[in-house]
Amino acid sequence: MPTLTAADIDDTLSAEFIQLTDREHGMEKSMHLGSHKVASHEIYALEGNALIKGKHKFSQVFYKMFDEILVNAIDVAMKYKTVKSIDVSFDEKTGAIAIANDGRRGIPCGVVKTSDGTPIYVPEMLFTHFRAGSNHKKCQSTAEVKDNISTGVNGFGCKLVVVNSGYTKVVTHDTERKVRYEQEFKSQMAEICEPNIQKLKRGQQGTTVSYTAHWPAFIGWPKKFGSSIFDVMDPIFRARVIFASAYTGIDIQYNGTKFGVTNAWGLAKYFAVDPFAITVKPKTTPPGTNQIYPWNICFDVGAERSEVVSVVNGACVSAGQHLEHITDQLIGKLRPKIERMFNKSKIKYQKRMITNYLTVVFVGIIPNIEFDSQLKTKLVCPDEFVQHYTLPPKVVKKIWGKLESLLHDQYMVVSKKTSKRRTMAQRSKDYEPAIWAGKPGKETYLFPIEGHSAASMVRRCLISKDIPDLSFKNCGIYSLGGVTSNVRGEVEIK
């Protein structure tokens, strides 16, 4: 094959087939942090004294930038155990975000080499060179392979923040080398400023990362930051900080406010009325790990709300084998009890008899995990690992103690005057009766809605403290499965 030269290049094809740099790819593609476009996303936000999952319009990139830097602070706190405080600020006027931790170690400010052998300071490599980091397997010797409890897996996180920011600055204090290191990155990493390195002064420690997003890249938001963006993102960021506090055990400060959360139970109080907490440990070290990692889980049962919440290695994870394993254990133990309870009635067991009333809040470490994408919403871990975690019998006993009376009120307490129409509705899998339904002297309401998405909206309204007269006690939900004309036969029943 002949040697190719510049003269062989086809300019027409070169305009059609191109190779992006890592920087260009990070700015343009949604596979990393999501989309720059403002769209409706379902996410938790702090509303009053509750964490409510609802639809909010924002850019995934803007949220994930915040999340990536916060997770870096979380990783430092969990890895070195010297972090006593984490401080987060979100400027209402400029949109500037800063996240600081007081860890004594700081980022090592020595000189290393890039993949092509070029010498570079460690902080600059971490913030500007994609695929660079300390969580790669290549970083560990074959003699001692340590468990990775970080959520950083690709070496992309903080680099993606820099390429989506108009301005980024990192300040770190290397107590081992006795230096203070400061460096700025401008215009989405187009300009990498020379680091300012000074002798460390007494009492200086920790790391602060601050940045301002590159607003022209966001589609659907104003070209400049304003109160409309702050009002959307502030309650979402507050919720994220609460999740992080529960995992780290540090009451993280956000814009001067602390939320009093340092464990799973504190987090569960934002979701449940009367949660109880347990710690689950395997009897032996699971395969592929070097030690036992406890799982802190809170449970509650109630008609007001059902949630499955998970914080793994500091990341908010909505799905994964760990959650499936927990719920499968509960369903396996509770189903026979429900079937025996309804044995003499015509009511058949349905999975939602458990899941519609169950709240599970998980906070724990799962080592050597993988995610389905850089967004890190779904966790992937081996089944043989999670199977080592078994819920104790007391958990099922406590849950059943609450669930039994709730199901009795929901399904079996029927007034003698109950009509045939209500009996048919009770049997419907899409009927969620009010707690007071059928009770003499109690006025109740029924919301007939088209489908499940509308049902979620009604549930959020019934949870909200803004409508004190309506709740799950006096309001039921009946999903029609479509527009009213599709189920017209129901209204003919007398």
Side-chain angles (χ1 to χ4, degrees):
M1 180 179 293
T3 302
L4 296 177
T5 66
D8 297 311
I9 296 176
D10 187 322
D11 292 336
T12 302
L13 285 177
S14 294
E16 182 179 356
F17 299 96
I18 64 174
Q19 179 182 0
L20 297 177
T21 65
D22 284 336
R23 172 177 173 267
E24 292 169 333
H25 207 274
M27 290 189 294
E28 181 178 325
K29 299 300 180 181
S30 62
M31 65 176 288
H32 299 295
L33 298 182
S35 174
H36 285 87
K37 296 179 180 179
V38 175
S40 183
H41 302 284
E42 196 169 43
I43 195 169
Y44 285 105
L46 181 62
E47 299 181 11
N49 294 321
L51 290 172
I52 305 296
K53 193 172 188 178
K55 292 289 185 70
H56 301 270
K57 287 188 176 182
F58 62 94
S59 163
Q60 283 182 307
V61 171
F62 187 70
Y63 172 75
K64 283 302 296 180
M65 290 169 67
F66 177 86
D67 186 71
E68 289 288 352
I69 300 301
L70 180 61
V71 163
N72 284 349
I74 292 171
D75 286 346
V76 172
M78 300 303 290
K79 187 174 182 179
Y80 298 111
K81 303 297 184 182
T82 64
V83 177
K84 302 301 180 184
S85 68
I86 298 175
D87 196 329
V88 179
S89 65
F90 179 29
D91 193 285
E92 185 174 359
K93 295 181 179 179
T94 66
I97 291 172
I99 299 178
N101 73 78
D102 66 348
R104 289 197 300 270
R105 187 172 186 265
I107 301 173
C109 297
V111 178
V112 295
K113 61 182 179 180
T114 62
S115 58
D116 63 3
T118 304
I120 189 173
Y121 284 105
V122 171
E124 182 174 335
M125 182 177 75
L126 294 178
F127 280 83
T128 63
H129 284 244
F130 284 79
R131 303 176 185 85
S134 60
N135 293 321
H136 303 302
K137 291 181 179 178
K138 196 174 181 179
C139 299
Q140 301 180 358
S141 66
T142 55
E144 182 184 6
V145 179
K146 297 181 180 179
D147 291 339
N148 180 16
I149 62 172
S150 168
T151 58
V153 291
N154 299 316
F156 275 48
C158 56
K159 276 73 76 173
L160 292 169
V161 175
V162 176
V163 300
N164 286 285
S165 296
Y167 175 82
T168 309
K169 181 170 77 172
V170 57
V171 178
T172 190
H173 303 91
D174 185 348
T175 55
E176 181 179 340
R177 293 165 184 81
K178 309 297 183 183
V179 297
R180 179 188 185 275
Y181 183 103
E182 178 179 323
Q183 191 169 18
E184 298 175 330
F185 314 100
K186 301 177 181 179
S187 303
Q188 299 177 277
M189 207 192 285
E191 182 181 353
I192 300 175
C193 301
E194 288 294 321
N196 179 4
I197 304 175
Q198 300 178 355
K199 185 178 179 180
L200 190 68
K201 295 181 180 179
R202 184 180 181 89
Q204 289 183 323
Q205 64 184 54
T207 300
T208 301
V209 178
S210 54
Y211 68 91
T212 303
H214 180 65
W215 294 112
F218 295 93
I219 303 170
W221 266 346
K223 296 302 181 183
K224 292 185 178 180
F225 182 84
S227 60
S228 60
I229 302 174
F230 181 86
D231 291 343
V232 172
M233 300 308 303
D234 179 62
I236 295 173
F237 286 166
R238 287 177 181 269
R240 182 64 183 95
V241 166
I242 291 172
F243 284 118
S245 298
Y247 174 72
T248 60
I250 300 170
D251 194 0
I252 299 174
Q253 182 168 273
Y254 174 88
N255 279 359
T257 300
K258 292 186 176 182
F259 302 97
V261 175
T262 56
N263 51 36
W265 188 85
L267 176 61
K269 291 295 288 183
Y270 281 88
F271 296 95
V273 176
D274 184 27
F276 66 91
I278 65 161
T279 299
V280 181
K281 295 181 180 180
K283 295 181 179 179
T284 59
T285 303
T289 64
N290 296 325
Q291 67 181 78
I292 291 175
Y293 296 92
W295 287 1
N296 299 302
I297 314 173
C298 293
F299 300 93
D300 196 17
V301 175
E304 293 83 4
R305 193 173 182 185
S306 64
E307 297 280 352
V308 178
V309 183
S310 171
V311 186
V312 180
N313 299 10
C316 297
V317 180
S318 58
Q321 289 92 334
H322 64 303
L323 295 176
E324 295 173 4
H325 180 62
I326 293 170
T327 54
D328 286 348
Q329 288 184 75
L330 292 175
I331 290 171
K333 297 292 185 180
L334 293 171
R335 177 173 180 171
K337 296 179 181 294
I338 296 174
E339 289 176 336
R340 285 195 296 270
M341 176 180 180
F342 295 141
N343 185 40
K344 296 181 180 180
S345 70
K346 295 182 179 180
I347 302 172
K348 294 183 178 180
Y349 163 82
Q350 295 173 9
K351 185 178 178 180
R352 72 180 185 88
M353 291 177 173
I354 300 171
T355 57
N356 276 13
Y357 309 116
L358 179 65
T359 291
V360 180
V361 177
F362 175 102
V363 178
I365 294 174
I366 300 180
N368 311 317
I369 58 174
E370 296 180 356
F371 294 95
D372 63 337
S373 71
Q374 185 69 29
L375 294 176
K376 301 174 184 176
T377 55
K378 184 177 181 180
L379 178 151
V380 180
C381 62
D383 289 337
E384 54 268 25
F385 174 84
V386 300
Q387 288 170 1
H388 276 67
Y389 290 80
T390 303
L391 296 178
K394 66 178 182 180
V395 173
V396 177
K397 184 178 180 180
K398 281 192 173 184
I399 291 177
W400 179 241
K402 294 184 176 184
L403 185 61
E404 182 180 20
S405 59
L406 180 60
L407 293 178
H408 183 271
D409 290 344
Q410 294 277 39
Y411 289 89
M412 298 186 72
V413 178
V414 182
S415 171
K416 294 181 179 179
K417 297 182 179 180
T418 299
S419 65
K420 181 180 179 182
R421 176 179 176 180
R422 182 173 184 276
T423 303
M424 292 188 67
Q426 271 195 316
R427 297 175 185 173
S428 169
K429 64 180 181 180
D430 293 319
Y431 175 55
E432 300 177 26
I435 296 175
W436 290 344
K439 293 186 176 180
K442 297 292 186 181
E443 188 178 63
T444 58
Y445 308 93
L446 181 65
F447 286 90
I449 43 87
E450 289 187 15
H452 296 296
S453 59
S456 298
M457 181 181 68
V458 173
R459 291 190 193 100
R460 289 198 299 272
C461 292
L462 297 181
I463 293 171
S464 174
K465 295 182 179 180
D466 296 332
I467 315 175
D469 294 333
L470 300 180
S471 68
F472 287 97
K473 292 182 178 180
N474 62 351
C475 295
I477 303 172
Y478 186 25
S479 178
L480 302 174
V483 294
T484 306
S485 59
N486 291 340
V487 288
R488 184 169 295 171
E490 289 248 349
V491 301
E492 300 297 330
I493 300 174
K494 296 181 180 180

